[in-house]
Amino acid sequence: MLTLHPQVVSGYVGNKIAVFVLQSLGCDVAALNTVQFSNHTGYRQWTGTKVSAQEITDLYNGLRQSYLDDFDMMLSGYIPGAEAVVAVGNIAKELKEKTQGTPGKFFWVLDPVMGDNGKIYVAEDVVPAYKSLVPYADLILPNQFEAELLSDVKIVDMETLNQAIQALHDRYRISHVVITSVKLSSPDHPADHLSVVGSSMTSSGKARLFKIVFPAIDCYFCGTGDMFGALTTMRMREAVEKVPGLSQRPNWLSDDNTPVLELPLAKAIEKVLASMHEVLSKTRDGMAAVVEHTRATMTDDDKSDETKAHFVKTKAAELQLVRNLDCLRIPAVEFKAKAI
Amino acid sequence: MLTLHPQVVSGYVGNKIAVFVLQSLGCDVAALNTVQFSNHTGYRQWTGTKVSAQEITDLYNGLRQSYLDDFDMMLSGYIPGAEAVVAVGNIAKELKEKTQGTPGKFFWVLDPVMGDNGKIYVAEDVVPAYKSLVPYADLILPNQFEAELLSDVKIVDMETLNQAIQALHDRYRISHVVITSVKLSSPDHPADHLSVVGSSMTSSGKARLFKIVFPAIDCYFCGTGDMFGALTTMRMREAVEKVPGLSQRPNWLSDDNTPVLELPLAKAIEKVLASMHEVLSKTRDGMAAVVEHTRATMTDDDKSDETKAHFVKTKAAELQLVRNLDCLRIPAVEFKAKAI
């Protein structure tokens, strides 16, 4: 398994999450850090450096020359800049090419990190760079806005959401799609709930759609997308391995007669959301203690400074992963997928 | 907890080991990577870049400005170059200074990585840089050769080894010392065994020496020192916390009347060696399978190439940590310390 993400010294986003999640679920992971920052950008201040496209390529070449490139899966998250996106794409293409004679031997989970809530937060040329890479991926994990960017379908209700997913299958021949945190209101769930909608296409490229509804937690966490990606990668493999022969089929695509709710992707996401909900709930419950602990080290002036209060709040919202290992490994909560 | 080590994309040395070990034992860890290489240097080829002294300082300043520098412990391993050693030392000094009014609040475990088996493998100016930092550390983990470099005592038998440790306590006022993999033959253990010798000084600076003998595993592993350091850091804290009030005493130094075998350091190292022995044994037992798996991807020409055979062998000797989590958490083997 190869994971490419940013890295932070303190706190949890990118590879700091992905590596721990993948290792916790028993996976030996090679981790290529696309940046090293002191902390995530949600603090609104940070130090550190980005890794250049050339350095990413060099690191991968270093792996290949010593037979360290025998990856069965690759997970990529935020990548700094279009050139670096291309460099990461080239790694995936090479790995795919290498296993051409053995279908299913390599599977790329791509989180096309470009923006959220209607705003692009990467350089403009990153969007076309991702568009040209999606056909090489096996599973993509856009949020609602990124799905709009990739599909050119404006998502305003469940119908347009389904159209967007079908457009992704059609345009990119991408086998598996999950749209994370869909924020559409729907008559089938309460207003304070969110949903995830996914699809594994049929052999003729038709979407097979499922939806999982889960309660929202009213707090702004960073890194949830990275946790979602890492958990999905592991749970997808696990679910695929339970179906005889499926892991040797191109793109791990299930038989056309597989019921939607039996799709490995649907099974995987059920488990992923259970872990997510448990970790986020425990993080929220632990926030007050972190605030108190941090404020104990501050002067009275600092305590009443609003900017500084933001740092403290952001620190308190860092995902509490390490102490909640069992939530990752054996989540107890249950969310069930529904066919659409 | 702050850990400063090199990082590799593939395989296990430096922070790739330290972060996993610390997290596995329940610790939220901030990890500052002092390099990012494709793989460890034991392969004799690698790609990647070192982090400069300035970047190390910048990353730390980034933590401080957002109240992310509330560390109770720091663990430092290989640092690239004297300037970077000084930068890391400055971080430790600042953290120590900050907690001056609260003894025991900050504890620095320093692995003064300089060389092994009679050879210095760092730049010459790194040695004096480390010598000037040791007085600020709480526990140092030199190997036999590094202990010679720091103490200026040539270690040829158990007596000179003990003299070297006393010299370290005397010269640097360093509270706790562990000399890892002592390769002296001794009448009290078989020739295929190694030993670790440690000491926590008394209030007057007198060494309290203990020794733990364990069977050697006839294989060259990389990263054992980093695993030892991370395990020792966690087990030391755990052992200290079991003694009422000790974690509030300067340098976690035990009462003068504490029996040697009751020293938290001795208790800690017993557990560390148990974990080490289990992980190394399991890694050795799994090596043949890794060799076979890697050779399956090679051409016949490559298989008969000696240089390439070295890569395969080195890959097979990568520590198998992830799949042996329980060896880290709840080791079963027991090695008992003896007072010297």
Side-chain angles (χ1 to χ4, degrees), chain B residues 10-44:
Chain B
S10 175
Y12 293 89
V13 297
N15 263 343
K16 196 75 167 292
I17 291 177
V19 172
F20 182 70
V21 169
L22 297 168
Q23 287 177 331
S24 297
L25 297 177
C27 182
D28 266 306
V29 54
L32 198 159
N33 298 328
T34 56
V35 314
Q36 178 172 215
F37 283 172
S38 56
N39 48 266
H40 68 68
T41 57
Y43 286 85
R44 300 181 199 147

mmCIF file of all heavy atoms in Angstrom, chain B residues 10-44:
data_model
loop_
_atom_site.group_PDB
_atom_site.id
_atom_site.type_symbol
_atom_site.label_atom_id
_atom_site.label_comp_id
_atom_site.label_asym_id
_atom_site.label_seq_id
_atom_site.Cartn_x
_atom_site.Cartn_y
_atom_site.Cartn_z
ATOM 1 N N SER B 10 9.246 3.937 2.328
ATOM 2 C CA SER B 10 9.041 2.492 2.456
ATOM 3 C C SER B 10 9.914 1.938 3.572
ATOM 4 O O SER B 10 11.058 2.373 3.746
ATOM 5 C CB SER B 10 9.400 1.817 1.129
ATOM 6 O OG SER B 10 9.313 0.419 1.248
ATOM 7 N N GLY B 11 9.399 0.982 4.298
ATOM 8 C CA GLY B 11 10.204 0.306 5.307
ATOM 9 C C GLY B 11 10.194 1.000 6.651
ATOM 10 O O GLY B 11 9.407 1.933 6.868
ATOM 11 N N TYR B 12 11.077 0.538 7.534
ATOM 12 C CA TYR B 12 11.004 0.941 8.928
ATOM 13 C C TYR B 12 12.344 1.349 9.512
ATOM 14 O O TYR B 12 13.173 0.501 9.833
ATOM 15 C CB TYR B 12 10.397 -0.207 9.750
ATOM 16 C CG TYR B 12 8.954 -0.428 9.376
ATOM 17 C CD1 TYR B 12 8.597 -1.297 8.357
ATOM 18 C CD2 TYR B 12 7.954 0.325 9.983
ATOM 19 C CE1 TYR B 12 7.274 -1.447 7.974
ATOM 20 C CE2 TYR B 12 6.634 0.184 9.603
ATOM 21 C CZ TYR B 12 6.297 -0.700 8.604
ATOM 22 O OH TYR B 12 4.999 -0.826 8.230
ATOM 23 N N VAL B 13 12.546 2.658 9.615
ATOM 24 C CA VAL B 13 13.562 3.240 10.498
ATOM 25 C C VAL B 13 12.993 4.577 10.968
ATOM 26 O O VAL B 13 11.956 5.028 10.482
ATOM 27 C CB VAL B 13 14.932 3.507 9.808
ATOM 28 C CG1 VAL B 13 15.604 2.238 9.307
ATOM 29 C CG2 VAL B 13 14.786 4.525 8.688
ATOM 30 N N GLY B 14 13.692 5.211 11.903
ATOM 31 C CA GLY B 14 13.357 6.573 12.330
ATOM 32 C C GLY B 14 11.910 6.743 12.751
ATOM 33 O O GLY B 14 11.357 5.909 13.468
ATOM 34 N N ASN B 15 11.313 7.829 12.266
ATOM 35 C CA ASN B 15 9.936 8.129 12.673
ATOM 36 C C ASN B 15 8.927 7.097 12.179
ATOM 37 O O ASN B 15 7.841 6.976 12.754
ATOM 38 C CB ASN B 15 9.529 9.539 12.220
ATOM 39 C CG ASN B 15 9.704 10.557 13.337
ATOM 40 O OD1 ASN B 15 9.827 10.182 14.508
ATOM 41 N ND2 ASN B 15 9.706 11.837 12.996
ATOM 42 N N LYS B 16 9.250 6.370 11.120
ATOM 43 C CA LYS B 16 8.325 5.328 10.653
ATOM 44 C C LYS B 16 8.151 4.292 11.762
ATOM 45 O O LYS B 16 7.061 3.732 11.928
ATOM 46 C CB LYS B 16 8.868 4.675 9.379
ATOM 47 C CG LYS B 16 7.854 3.872 8.594
ATOM 48 C CD LYS B 16 6.884 4.751 7.830
ATOM 49 C CE LYS B 16 6.084 3.930 6.817
ATOM 50 N NZ LYS B 16 6.931 3.423 5.716
ATOM 51 N N ILE B 17 9.198 4.046 12.511
ATOM 52 C CA ILE B 17 9.116 3.140 13.660
ATOM 53 C C ILE B 17 8.594 3.878 14.890
ATOM 54 O O ILE B 17 7.648 3.432 15.542
ATOM 55 C CB ILE B 17 10.506 2.553 13.997
ATOM 56 C CG1 ILE B 17 10.956 1.593 12.893
ATOM 57 C CG2 ILE B 17 10.508 1.877 15.363
ATOM 58 C CD1 ILE B 17 12.337 1.023 13.106
ATOM 59 N N ALA B 18 9.249 5.007 15.211
ATOM 60 C CA ALA B 18 8.959 5.684 16.477
ATOM 61 C C ALA B 18 7.486 6.068 16.578
ATOM 62 O O ALA B 18 6.842 5.829 17.604
ATOM 63 C CB ALA B 18 9.841 6.922 16.629
ATOM 64 N N VAL B 19 6.939 6.634 15.500
ATOM 65 C CA VAL B 19 5.546 7.088 15.552
ATOM 66 C C VAL B 19 4.620 5.891 15.778
ATOM 67 O O VAL B 19 3.719 5.939 16.624
ATOM 68 C CB VAL B 19 5.169 7.855 14.264
ATOM 69 C CG1 VAL B 19 3.681 8.154 14.213
ATOM 70 C CG2 VAL B 19 5.971 9.151 14.177
ATOM 71 N N PHE B 20 4.843 4.811 15.057
ATOM 72 C CA PHE B 20 3.970 3.636 15.210
ATOM 73 C C PHE B 20 4.067 3.050 16.618
ATOM 74 O O PHE B 20 3.050 2.725 17.236
ATOM 75 C CB PHE B 20 4.311 2.572 14.168
ATOM 76 C CG PHE B 20 3.409 1.372 14.244
ATOM 77 C CD1 PHE B 20 2.085 1.468 13.859
ATOM 78 C CD2 PHE B 20 3.869 0.157 14.735
ATOM 79 C CE1 PHE B 20 1.232 0.378 13.951
ATOM 80 C CE2 PHE B 20 3.025 -0.948 14.827
ATOM 81 C CZ PHE B 20 1.705 -0.827 14.432
ATOM 82 N N VAL B 21 5.292 2.930 17.115
ATOM 83 C CA VAL B 21 5.472 2.356 18.459
ATOM 84 C C VAL B 21 4.793 3.245 19.505
ATOM 85 O O VAL B 21 4.040 2.762 20.364
ATOM 86 C CB VAL B 21 6.972 2.176 18.781
ATOM 87 C CG1 VAL B 21 7.180 1.847 20.250
ATOM 88 C CG2 VAL B 21 7.579 1.087 17.893
ATOM 89 N N LEU B 22 5.032 4.548 19.426
ATOM 90 C CA LEU B 22 4.461 5.464 20.416
ATOM 91 C C LEU B 22 2.935 5.462 20.335
ATOM 92 O O LEU B 22 2.241 5.410 21.359
ATOM 93 C CB LEU B 22 5.011 6.878 20.200
ATOM 94 C CG LEU B 22 6.541 7.036 20.387
ATOM 95 C CD1 LEU B 22 7.013 8.391 19.869
ATOM 96 C CD2 LEU B 22 6.939 6.858 21.843
ATOM 97 N N GLN B 23 2.408 5.480 19.113
ATOM 98 C CA GLN B 23 0.949 5.466 18.946
ATOM 99 C C GLN B 23 0.365 4.135 19.422
ATOM 100 O O GLN B 23 -0.693 4.100 20.054
ATOM 101 C CB GLN B 23 0.587 5.705 17.478
ATOM 102 C CG GLN B 23 0.813 7.150 17.029
ATOM 103 C CD GLN B 23 0.514 7.373 15.565
ATOM 104 O OE1 GLN B 23 0.650 6.466 14.739
ATOM 105 N NE2 GLN B 23 0.138 8.587 15.208
ATOM 106 N N SER B 24 1.045 3.045 19.122
ATOM 107 C CA SER B 24 0.542 1.729 19.524
ATOM 108 C C SER B 24 0.417 1.626 21.038
ATOM 109 O O SER B 24 -0.425 0.899 21.554
ATOM 110 C CB SER B 24 1.498 0.623 19.074
ATOM 111 O OG SER B 24 1.566 0.598 17.685
ATOM 112 N N LEU B 25 1.307 2.349 21.724
ATOM 113 C CA LEU B 25 1.252 2.318 23.175
ATOM 114 C C LEU B 25 0.403 3.478 23.705
ATOM 115 O O LEU B 25 0.496 3.851 24.871
ATOM 116 C CB LEU B 25 2.673 2.317 23.749
ATOM 117 C CG LEU B 25 3.483 1.065 23.357
ATOM 118 C CD1 LEU B 25 4.914 1.139 23.884
ATOM 119 C CD2 LEU B 25 2.828 -0.223 23.884
ATOM 120 N N GLY B 26 -0.418 4.061 22.813
ATOM 121 C CA GLY B 26 -1.459 4.992 23.271
ATOM 122 C C GLY B 26 -1.071 6.446 23.338
ATOM 123 O O GLY B 26 -1.773 7.252 23.950
ATOM 124 N N CYS B 27 0.018 6.819 22.700
ATOM 125 C CA CYS B 27 0.512 8.186 22.838
ATOM 126 C C CYS B 27 0.201 9.029 21.595
ATOM 127 O O CYS B 27 0.493 8.629 20.470
ATOM 128 C CB CYS B 27 2.016 8.115 23.054
ATOM 129 S SG CYS B 27 2.776 9.700 23.287
ATOM 130 N N ASP B 28 -0.376 10.211 21.808
ATOM 131 C CA ASP B 28 -0.547 11.179 20.723
ATOM 132 C C ASP B 28 0.797 11.830 20.469
ATOM 133 O O ASP B 28 1.332 12.508 21.342
ATOM 134 C CB ASP B 28 -1.556 12.264 21.133
ATOM 135 C CG ASP B 28 -2.954 11.924 20.674
ATOM 136 O OD1 ASP B 28 -3.126 11.673 19.473
ATOM 137 O OD2 ASP B 28 -3.857 11.896 21.528
ATOM 138 N N VAL B 29 1.335 11.640 19.297
ATOM 139 C CA VAL B 29 2.703 12.063 19.073
ATOM 140 C C VAL B 29 2.797 13.114 17.962
ATOM 141 O O VAL B 29 2.125 13.017 16.934
ATOM 142 C CB VAL B 29 3.584 10.814 18.780
ATOM 143 C CG1 VAL B 29 3.023 10.001 17.640
ATOM 144 C CG2 VAL B 29 5.015 11.181 18.462
ATOM 145 N N ALA B 30 3.601 14.139 18.233
ATOM 146 C CA ALA B 30 3.962 15.094 17.188
ATOM 147 C C ALA B 30 5.276 14.603 16.601
ATOM 148 O O ALA B 30 6.206 14.297 17.338
ATOM 149 C CB ALA B 30 4.124 16.486 17.781
ATOM 150 N N ALA B 31 5.334 14.489 15.284
ATOM 151 C CA ALA B 31 6.508 13.900 14.644
ATOM 152 C C ALA B 31 7.136 14.891 13.687
ATOM 153 O O ALA B 31 6.496 15.326 12.733
ATOM 154 C CB ALA B 31 6.104 12.638 13.894
ATOM 155 N N LEU B 32 8.381 15.254 13.956
ATOM 156 C CA LEU B 32 9.105 16.146 13.051
ATOM 157 C C LEU B 32 10.123 15.289 12.303
ATOM 158 O O LEU B 32 10.983 14.657 12.914
ATOM 159 C CB LEU B 32 9.773 17.252 13.873
ATOM 160 C CG LEU B 32 10.210 18.499 13.112
ATOM 161 C CD1 LEU B 32 10.360 19.689 14.052
ATOM 162 C CD2 LEU B 32 11.480 18.292 12.330
ATOM 163 N N ASN B 33 9.964 15.246 10.981
ATOM 164 C CA ASN B 33 10.842 14.411 10.166
ATOM 165 C C ASN B 33 12.083 15.197 9.770
ATOM 166 O O ASN B 33 11.983 16.246 9.147
ATOM 167 C CB ASN B 33 10.108 13.945 8.908
ATOM 168 C CG ASN B 33 8.896 13.101 9.247
ATOM 169 O OD1 ASN B 33 8.894 12.384 10.242
ATOM 170 N ND2 ASN B 33 7.856 13.195 8.433
ATOM 171 N N THR B 34 13.263 14.668 10.109
ATOM 172 C CA THR B 34 14.512 15.387 9.835
ATOM 173 C C THR B 34 15.046 15.094 8.425
ATOM 174 O O THR B 34 15.948 15.786 7.962
ATOM 175 C CB THR B 34 15.584 15.029 10.885
ATOM 176 O OG1 THR B 34 15.757 13.601 10.897
ATOM 177 C CG2 THR B 34 15.160 15.476 12.263
ATOM 178 N N VAL B 35 14.530 14.071 7.779
ATOM 179 C CA VAL B 35 14.774 13.812 6.358
ATOM 180 C C VAL B 35 13.530 13.115 5.824
ATOM 181 O O VAL B 35 12.720 12.612 6.594
ATOM 182 C CB VAL B 35 16.004 12.883 6.073
ATOM 183 C CG1 VAL B 35 17.231 13.273 6.877
ATOM 184 C CG2 VAL B 35 15.678 11.418 6.333
ATOM 185 N N GLN B 36 13.379 13.100 4.497
ATOM 186 C CA GLN B 36 12.429 12.188 3.870
ATOM 187 C C GLN B 36 13.178 11.451 2.749
ATOM 188 O O GLN B 36 13.478 12.036 1.710
ATOM 189 C CB GLN B 36 11.182 12.879 3.305
ATOM 190 C CG GLN B 36 10.257 11.844 2.613
ATOM 191 C CD GLN B 36 8.881 12.344 2.173
ATOM 192 O OE1 GLN B 36 7.910 11.606 2.218
ATOM 193 N NE2 GLN B 36 8.768 13.572 1.729
ATOM 194 N N PHE B 37 13.507 10.186 3.019
ATOM 195 C CA PHE B 37 14.194 9.360 2.034
ATOM 196 C C PHE B 37 13.229 8.285 1.532
ATOM 197 O O PHE B 37 12.267 7.928 2.226
ATOM 198 C CB PHE B 37 15.416 8.675 2.655
ATOM 199 C CG PHE B 37 16.618 9.572 2.836
ATOM 200 C CD1 PHE B 37 17.737 9.122 3.541
ATOM 201 C CD2 PHE B 37 16.647 10.857 2.317
ATOM 202 C CE1 PHE B 37 18.845 9.940 3.709
ATOM 203 C CE2 PHE B 37 17.757 11.685 2.482
ATOM 204 C CZ PHE B 37 18.861 11.219 3.182
ATOM 205 N N SER B 38 13.493 7.764 0.344
ATOM 206 C CA SER B 38 12.655 6.698 -0.193
ATOM 207 C C SER B 38 12.737 5.451 0.682
ATOM 208 O O SER B 38 11.746 4.740 0.864
ATOM 209 C CB SER B 38 13.088 6.354 -1.618
ATOM 210 O OG SER B 38 14.469 6.011 -1.645
ATOM 211 N N ASN B 39 13.928 5.179 1.203
ATOM 212 C CA ASN B 39 14.160 3.955 1.994
ATOM 213 C C ASN B 39 15.399 4.194 2.839
ATOM 214 O O ASN B 39 16.098 5.200 2.645
ATOM 215 C CB ASN B 39 14.363 2.755 1.056
ATOM 216 C CG ASN B 39 15.354 3.047 -0.057
ATOM 217 O OD1 ASN B 39 14.960 3.456 -1.164
ATOM 218 N ND2 ASN B 39 16.636 2.902 0.215
ATOM 219 N N HIS B 40 15.697 3.283 3.764
ATOM 220 C CA HIS B 40 16.847 3.533 4.634
ATOM 221 C C HIS B 40 18.157 3.257 3.899
ATOM 222 O O HIS B 40 18.178 2.604 2.856
ATOM 223 C CB HIS B 40 16.723 2.786 5.963
ATOM 224 C CG HIS B 40 16.823 1.297 5.885
ATOM 225 N ND1 HIS B 40 17.981 0.623 5.557
ATOM 226 C CD2 HIS B 40 15.901 0.323 6.113
ATOM 227 C CE1 HIS B 40 17.769 -0.683 5.593
ATOM 228 N NE2 HIS B 40 16.499 -0.894 5.919
ATOM 229 N N THR B 41 19.239 3.775 4.470
ATOM 230 C CA THR B 41 20.515 3.774 3.755
ATOM 231 C C THR B 41 21.165 2.391 3.723
ATOM 232 O O THR B 41 22.142 2.198 2.999
ATOM 233 C CB THR B 41 21.472 4.799 4.394
ATOM 234 O OG1 THR B 41 21.612 4.467 5.779
ATOM 235 C CG2 THR B 41 20.901 6.204 4.288
ATOM 236 N N GLY B 42 20.626 1.447 4.473
ATOM 237 C CA GLY B 42 21.144 0.082 4.435
ATOM 238 C C GLY B 42 21.016 -0.560 3.051
ATOM 239 O O GLY B 42 21.725 -1.519 2.738
ATOM 240 N N TYR B 43 20.117 -0.002 2.230
ATOM 241 C CA TYR B 43 19.988 -0.516 0.859
ATOM 242 C C TYR B 43 21.191 -0.117 -0.005
ATOM 243 O O TYR B 43 21.363 -0.625 -1.099
ATOM 244 C CB TYR B 43 18.706 0.025 0.201
ATOM 245 C CG TYR B 43 17.435 -0.607 0.719
ATOM 246 C CD1 TYR B 43 16.802 -0.134 1.857
ATOM 247 C CD2 TYR B 43 16.857 -1.696 0.061
ATOM 248 C CE1 TYR B 43 15.638 -0.715 2.339
ATOM 249 C CE2 TYR B 43 15.688 -2.275 0.528
ATOM 250 C CZ TYR B 43 15.093 -1.780 1.672
ATOM 251 O OH TYR B 43 13.936 -2.366 2.142
ATOM 252 N N ARG B 44 21.965 0.869 0.489
ATOM 253 C CA ARG B 44 23.115 1.450 -0.221
ATOM 254 C C ARG B 44 22.686 2.329 -1.397
ATOM 255 O O ARG B 44 23.527 2.834 -2.131
ATOM 256 C CB ARG B 44 24.097 0.368 -0.704
ATOM 257 C CG ARG B 44 24.668 -0.453 0.443
ATOM 258 C CD ARG B 44 25.648 -1.510 -0.057
ATOM 259 N NE ARG B 44 25.833 -2.544 0.942
ATOM 260 C CZ ARG B 44 26.055 -3.825 0.671
ATOM 261 N NH1 ARG B 44 26.121 -4.239 -0.585
ATOM 262 N NH2 ARG B 44 26.202 -4.699 1.649
#
